[in-house]
Amino acid sequence: MDSIGPVGLQQGEGAPCYPQESLPCPSDSSELVQECLRQFKVTGAQLRQIQASLLSSMEQALGGQVSPASAVRMLPTYVGSTPHGTEQGDFLVLELGATGASLRILWVTLTGTEGHRMEPRSQEFVIPQEVMLGPGQQSTLISWTKGFRCSGVEGQDVVQLLRDAIQRQGAYSIDVVAVVNDTVGTMMGCEPGVGPCEVGLVVDTGTNACYMEEARHVAVLDEDRGRVCVSVEWGSFGDDGALGPVLTTFDCALDRESLNPGAQRFEKMIGGLYLGELVRLVLAHLAQCGVLFGGCTSPALLSRGSILLEHVAEMEDPSAGAARVHTILQDLGLSPGASDVELVQHVCAAVCMRAAQLCAAALAAVLSHLQHSREQQTLQITVATGGRVFERQPRFLSILQETVMFLAPECDVSFIPSLDGGGRGVAMVTAVAARLAAHRRLLEETLAPFRLNREQLAAVQAQMREAMTKGLRGEASSLRMLPTYVRATPDGSERGDFLALDLGGTNFRVLLVRVATGGVQITNQVYSIPECVAQGSGQQLFDHIVDCIVDFQQKQGLSGQSLPLGFTFSFPCRQLGLDQGILLNWTKGFNASDCEGQDVVCLLREAIGRRKAVELNVVAIVNDTVGTMMSCGYEDPHCEVGLIVGTGTNACYMEELRNVAGVAGDSGHMCINMEWGAFGDDGSLGVLSTCFDARVDQASINPGKQRFEKMISGMYLGEIVRHILLHLTSLGVLFRGQQTQCLQTRDIFKTKFLSEIESDSLALRQVRAILEDLGLPLTSDDALMVLEVCQAVSQRAAQLCGAGVAAVVEKIRENRGLEELTVSVGVDGTLYKLHPHFSSLVAATVRELAPRCVVTFLQSEDGSGKGAALVTAVACRLAQTACV
Ligand code: G6P
Ligand code: BGC
């Protein structure tokens, strides 16, 4: 690569060429020619240097560091999405600056069907010189380039200027939707190749590129999600002097004579507006030194702008033949000889090759930036190319490709020429904007019922409060408010070894709990309950439980001992005493037959009886909320509420005994298992329930039951999200409207995905990975929308849960006639613990709805099995005290 040089010419050893104000005029003419051409040679090392320096300039500009004249500008374009293929409608496109001194108007019709393209209609208008340089009543333009210099426009919003002009004309109704850089139009109009088309490269009159950047990398945007198309504006690279080593005397002369000296130095080495001029300067110099045209010049050769890009392209093309070069030179008033023609071809080739190589170095900087920032081993990407230099000079693309491969070997790039000179892409930008706006409206409409305001939450709190009171009195209520016969939290004097069972959450556990002076020590083992057992016969289920206990006893060397046993049983039970619990109904995924209406402790004892070898002393049956409260209460005496947000959801709290109908006694407290999962089963949550909740409920094993739980807990949130995603797909908002088998599959979208997707530490890239693993073919817009769906669903869940907790703590405060209550809530459950925002949303809602309660949430570390053992320990202590 280091030997890349003008075709057919022997290269010198690449001595660095520094700009010189006046060329030495070596006496030997062939040496003079070599010297001129050598100036245009750029070595591999120099290209790498340019690539690295442009990359660092890009990264500085992205990071918001503005160094004085530091080159690239990295302007966000507010184009955040590439086309779907489903865009449709009629769009007008004005192209100013793309084809030099002309304005092209394009009428583009998009059909919304992939593969069905309608040719755009277009008309071109020449812009007279006096208009290009005249007053500019014609986005905020930062500076003109490429020969435009209208006054009163730089620093103005060009969309507004255009709207004003349309207004001045009257009679037209045209909505100006988007102002688009030509690179963006080029990128947007392109069909993807090996990878998505996320880079647009234009080499026309001027040069520039744009690409899709992660919004969080763009410091000037206050946005950390999604992508945005950034216009690199690399034409001004080197305005701070970074291009010094590769600038030739001709570049310096060209710059001096240009409309904007000192600016757009990189563009002036690459853009089509300048290639002809560079060639002209070289030829004039060689003629003046007597090496060309017999030492004669012509007025045309000495006039700015007489050699155009088209001329250079033709003369450089080896297939064009000497005759054509001859004619062009003659048209310039020159009389070339045969050797002159060959030399002129070399000059054209040298100028063009350098342009393509420099352009490649800049593109390689963009590609390596993308590859690193996306952490991809190989970046597969499509670059849309546009502009007359590509169209007129086929060799430009091949040199560019070869050089990019050399400079960025880890990028697998396909180059695709843009259609309709980027005009279709501009229409696309507008169409994509229109599609995104329509999709956003549909998304907002779909999620609106999930966004609960303060009044709605306060109403839930009030309803819950009323249902609590009714339930406690034994009146009809969706809250059963079950007495648990737990009257006291541990006082620290409990001692002994206890067995505990923990059934009803994600795991079934058997535990040995040692309560000693130094604290509580736990040994436990997790056993699985296969779905066929959870939904088989009751006898099978309880035999399985006893088998697990026997296995545990054997492993722990406890066989033959009859330790007191506490049983955490996380389902609604009407208790008649501490060791009696009638299962009212199964919830979550359980549905074993012949259990509902039975005393669970009896079912366990019967199973023990069938397994003659074991002896167990079941002392207490405990709901998981109660186990959690007791477990946290061992550490914090203020803990008087237990909350579970896991597979299911529920809460318990210490109520005044006098308020509890059906339990003897008027003084002291009793823990009440609210069974709040069933809240709303009487229809009272109807207004809040969405069609998605109804679908989840209908498809569950207990339709019409546990309606509050089905809006909050881990067993159901993933399903709600899945139903919303299905709906949005049917509207064409997600996944390009393509329904996949995967999304039709029940329970495919696990609630743990909500936790992962909403985790701040995971970039959207990982969100995409999760969804792609599910076989969902998504774009980055899809990923963002899925994230918003997850957020809406989990936020509603947390707020409803908070409204429930607010009702509970307010009740405790009022029971005690306190101005302010300080209370702790013991919490357990996978959703609460794993979700990144759930706990803080619950706490915020409680603060809002129960401002007179100071509530601390304590996460239970040891599970509710420990609490069940403590309930057993307290019962044993009280029994012993009674005996004394
Ligand atoms: C606890 C328990 C379980 C309980 C669970 C809820 O700590 O020991 O018995 O049901 O938490 O969480 P999960 O997410 O497993 O349903
Ligand atoms: C059960 C409750 C339990 C909760 C949390 C609900 O489905 O009915 O008894 O406390 O899940 O596990």
Side-chain angles (χ1 to χ4, degrees):
M1 181 71 205
D2 271 312
S3 65
I4 285 187
V7 184
L9 266 186
Q10 233 199 322
Q11 287 298 300
E13 268 323 294
C17 304
Y18 293 99
Q20 298 149 17
E21 283 311 303
S22 64
L23 263 184
C25 239
S27 50
D28 174 29
S29 62
S30 102
E31 209 177 289
L32 176 62
V33 172
Q34 293 294 341
E35 173 54 34
C36 266
L37 293 175
R38 202 178 307 130
Q39 284 196 60
F40 285 90
K41 178 184 185 279
V42 187
T43 65
Q46 285 171 324
L47 289 174
R48 283 191 199 287
Q49 176 64 45
I50 289 171
Q51 176 186 6
S53 126
L54 198 125
L55 181 61
S56 99
S57 163
M58 278 171 59
E59 285 171 354
Q60 270 177 29
L62 281 176
Q65 298 173 25
V66 264
S67 39
S70 158
V72 301
R73 292 203 177 100
M74 306 303 277
L75 301 175
T77 62
Y78 299 90
V79 169
S81 187
T82 45
H84 248 186
T86 56
E87 290 73 15
Q88 49 186 311
D90 284 309
F91 303 90
L92 264 194
V93 177
L94 311 188
E95 280 187 295
L96 181 62
T99 48
S102 71
L103 171 70
R104 196 158 78 116
I105 301 192
L106 229 75
W107 180 345
V108 181
T109 303
L110 300 175
T111 61
T113 330
E114 259 174 298
H116 184 232
R117 264 195 69 212
M118 279 177 63
E119 282 309 316
R121 281 162 277 179
S122 76
Q123 189 162 343
E124 206 152 315
F125 301 86
V126 173
I127 305 181
Q129 186 82 2
E130 60 277 19
V131 173
M132 279 174 73
L133 302 177
Q137 277 180 337
Q138 324 171 343
S139 299
T140 308
L141 180 69
I142 294 183
S143 61
W144 286 116
T145 58
K146 301 183 291 196
F148 279 83
R149 209 163 69 178
C150 299
S151 59
V153 177
E154 291 185 353
Q156 298 290 306
D157 176 359
V158 286
V159 171
Q160 200 46 53
L161 294 174
L162 181 57
R163 285 192 182 124
D164 294 348
I166 292 173
Q167 190 125 41
R168 277 196 297 278
Q169 288 280 329
Y172 297 104
S173 153
I174 300 173
D175 187 17
V176 184
V177 178
V179 57
V180 180
N181 183 277
D182 51 355
T183 53
V184 183
T186 300
M187 178 184 81
M188 295 291 279
C190 169
E191 313 279 344
V194 282
C197 181
E198 292 181 337
V199 179
L201 166 63
V202 167
V203 190
D204 198 276
T205 326
T207 181
N208 187 20
C210 71
Y211 70 98
M212 295 304 287
E213 176 62 274
E214 304 301 320
R216 66 178 189 286
H217 294 158
V218 188
V220 292
L221 295 178
D222 191 17
E223 179 60 72
D224 57 358
R225 298 176 192 173
R227 287 185 177 169
V228 65
C229 176
V230 169
S231 168
V232 179
E233 294 295 332
W234 69 30
S236 54
F237 174 63
D239 290 2
D240 56 353
L243 286 167
V246 290
L247 286 174
T248 65
T249 44
F250 307 104
D251 295 305
C252 298
L254 180 145
D255 179 52
R256 259 197 318 275
E257 290 167 21
S258 67
L259 287 174
N260 50 356
Q264 301 290 109
R265 299 304 300 266
F266 195 54
E267 177 165 272
K268 286 173 183 163
M269 301 168 89
I270 301 174
L273 186 65
Y274 308 101
L275 296 186
E277 193 54 11
L278 282 172
V279 168
R280 185 187 70 81
L281 290 171
V282 178
L283 299 189
H285 171 73
L286 291 176
Q288 281 162 342
C289 288
V291 180
L292 265 180
F293 315 127
C296 302
T297 61
S298 69
L301 186 64
L302 298 178
S303 321
R304 211 157 59 110
S306 59
I307 300 188
L308 303 176
L309 170 68
E310 287 66 26
H311 300 139
V312 178
E314 279 190 83
M315 296 193 288
E316 187 247 9
D317 179 2
S319 64
R324 182 66 193 128
V325 181
H326 207 271
T327 317
I328 294 174
L329 294 173
Q330 268 183 336
D331 289 350
L332 288 171
L334 301 163
S335 326
S339 64
D340 290 339
V341 166
E342 201 182 327
L343 194 52
V344 169
Q345 282 180 316
H346 288 323
V347 170
C348 292
V351 168
C352 294
M353 169 169 275
R354 185 189 68 160
Q357 289 174 336
L358 291 176
C359 185
L363 180 61
V366 171
L367 296 174
S368 24
H369 168 75
L370 278 175
Q371 190 228 347
H372 285 136
S373 72
R374 296 185 184 178
E375 289 165 29
Q376 288 177 356
Q377 283 256 301
T378 312
L379 177 77
Q380 284 208 324
I381 202 154
T382 298
V383 175
T385 58
R388 284 177 313 139
V389 172
F390 283 107
E391 286 157 22
R392 304 280 154 87
Q393 280 178 277
R395 270 169 36 86
F396 191 91
L397 179 61
S398 51
I399 298 169
L400 179 85
Q401 269 172 321
E402 188 187 323
T403 316
V404 166
M405 261 163 65
F406 167 72
L407 294 173
E410 60 297 318
C411 300
D412 178 4
V413 192
S414 59
F415 290 85
I416 298 201
S418 82
L419 304 165
D420 315 317
R424 188 178 123 87
V426 179
M428 266 310 176
V429 173
T430 318
V432 167
R435 169 176 61 75
L436 287 178
H439 285 181
R440 177 131 296 276
R441 253 195 326 277
L442 290 167
L443 179 73
E444 281 310 322
E445 272 166 34
T446 307
L447 296 183
F450 288 86
R451 308 203 195 278
L452 305 182
N453 59 30
R454 195 187 182 286
E455 284 63 46
Q456 288 169 305
L457 291 170
V460 172
Q461 177 185 11
Q463 278 172 359
M464 172 84 85
R465 178 61 195 273
E466 197 190 323
M468 286 169 79
T469 311
K470 285 191 177 161
L472 284 171
R473 284 198 202 122
E475 295 168 12
S477 165
S478 60
L479 290 184
R480 291 196 182 101
M481 307 300 283
L482 302 166
T484 64
Y485 295 86
V486 169
R487 297 165 196 265
T489 47
D491 70 359
S493 66
E494 298 76 11
R495 298 286 176 272
D497 290 355
F498 304 90
L499 268 186
L501 306 180
D502 188 348
L503 176 77
T506 317
N507 298 310
F508 168 52
R509 282 202 187 91
V510 185
L511 309 90
L512 171 63
V513 183
R514 302 208 136 109
V515 187
T517 324
V520 177
Q521 209 193 8
I522 298 175
T523 314
N524 79 91
Q525 181 150 354
V526 172
Y527 293 90
S528 74
I529 306 256
E531 195 177 277
C532 58
V533 173
Q535 298 183 4
S537 76
Q539 186 167 333
Q540 226 184 335
L541 172 64
F542 281 89
D543 283 349
H544 177 72
I545 292 172
V546 173
D547 285 346
C548 297
I549 301 172
V550 171
D551 177 77
F552 182 77
Q553 284 185 319
Q554 279 168 359
K555 285 191 178 139
Q556 298 301 323
L558 296 170
S559 305
Q561 292 186 36
S562 169
L563 296 178
L565 181 140
F567 186 5
T568 301
F569 185 71
S570 312
F571 301 95
C573 286
R574 180 168 307 285
Q575 287 190 244
L576 305 171
L578 200 53
D579 63 349
Q580 274 174 294
I582 313 285
L583 173 64
L584 296 174
N585 55 274
W586 286 117
T587 59
K588 300 175 275 193
F590 281 73
N591 203 14
S593 60
D594 305 323
C595 295
E596 291 181 354
Q598 302 292 315
D599 179 353
V600 179
V601 178
C602 285
L603 294 176
L604 182 63
R605 285 191 180 129
E606 282 167 20
I608 293 168
R610 284 193 291 278
R611 249 305 203 156
K612 299 210 169 50
V614 279
E615 260 188 58
L616 292 175
N617 169 20
V618 185
V619 175
I621 177 164
V622 176
N623 186 266
D624 53 356
T625 52
V626 182
T628 299
M629 181 187 80
M630 293 295 271
S631 171
C632 294
Y634 191 71
E635 319 292 334
D636 174 1
H638 285 300
C639 184
E640 295 186 277
V641 181
L643 169 67
I644 299 283
V645 195
T647 318
T649 183
N650 190 13
C652 72
Y653 71 102
M654 297 306 284
E655 177 58 271
E656 311 299 310
L657 197 51
R658 63 171 189 276
N659 291 340
V660 187
V663 179
D666 257 354
S667 66
H669 298 103
M670 180 166 285
C671 177
I672 298 294
N673 169 12
M674 293 175 65
E675 284 300 328
W676 82 10
F679 177 52
D681 287 3
D682 55 0
S684 53
L685 278 176
V687 278
L688 295 188
S689 175
T690 67
C691 58
F692 308 108
D693 296 303
R695 282 175 211 167
V696 170
D697 177 48
Q698 278 311 310
S700 68
I701 57 171
N702 52 353
K705 301 271 166 52
Q706 301 291 105
R707 298 304 300 267
F708 195 54
E709 175 161 278
K710 286 173 183 164
M711 296 167 101
I712 295 178
S713 77
M715 183 146 183
Y716 307 100
L717 294 196
E719 272 297 275
I720 301 179
V721 168
R722 185 179 70 87
H723 280 286
I724 301 176
L725 299 187
L726 275 175
H727 172 71
L728 291 172
T729 311
S730 73
L731 295 177
V733 172
L734 278 179
F735 312 130
R736 299 195 161 105
Q738 288 161 17
Q739 297 282 3
T740 59
Q741 191 51 45
C742 144
L743 209 52
Q744 316 271 0
T745 316
R746 211 175 126 188
D747 291 330
I748 191 89
F749 202 93
K750 305 277 175 238
T751 296
K752 71 168 187 195
F753 295 155
L754 269 80
S755 302
E756 289 171 10
I757 284 174
E758 291 183 55
S759 161
D760 290 336
S761 59
L762 294 179
L764 271 179
R765 187 162 29 85
Q766 270 150 301
V767 174
R768 294 173 72 158
I770 292 173
L771 297 173
E772 274 161 10
D773 267 1
L774 290 178
L776 297 172
L778 81 174
T779 64
S780 62
D781 295 327
D782 289 336
L784 253 180
M785 289 201 214
V786 172
L787 170 66
E788 285 186 51
V789 171
C790 292
Q791 281 171 336
V793 170
S794 58
Q795 170 160 334
R796 182 188 67 160
Q799 289 178 328
L800 288 174
C801 182
V805 173
V808 173
V809 292
E810 269 295 290
K811 173 106 176 57
I812 300 178
R813 188 186 66 77
E814 285 175 30
N815 279 343
R816 299 182 188 172
L818 295 172
E819 260 310 299
E820 189 177 279
L821 172 77
T822 301
V823 69
S824 299
V825 178
V827 201
D828 210 338
T830 37
L831 180 57
Y832 186 91
K833 284 179 163 174
L834 297 184
H835 190 281
H837 311 300
F838 201 95
S839 55
S840 48
L841 277 166
V842 172
T845 311
V846 174
R847 271 198 303 278
E848 173 95 25
L849 299 179
R852 292 156 82 180
C853 300
V854 180
V855 183
T856 307
F857 291 86
L858 303 170
Q859 286 200 18
S860 156
E861 298 304 334
D862 307 302
S864 41
K866 171 180 165 186
L870 288 170
V871 172
T872 310
V874 172
C876 291
R877 171 170 59 80
L878 294 178
Q880 275 163 11
T881 327
C883 292
V884 176

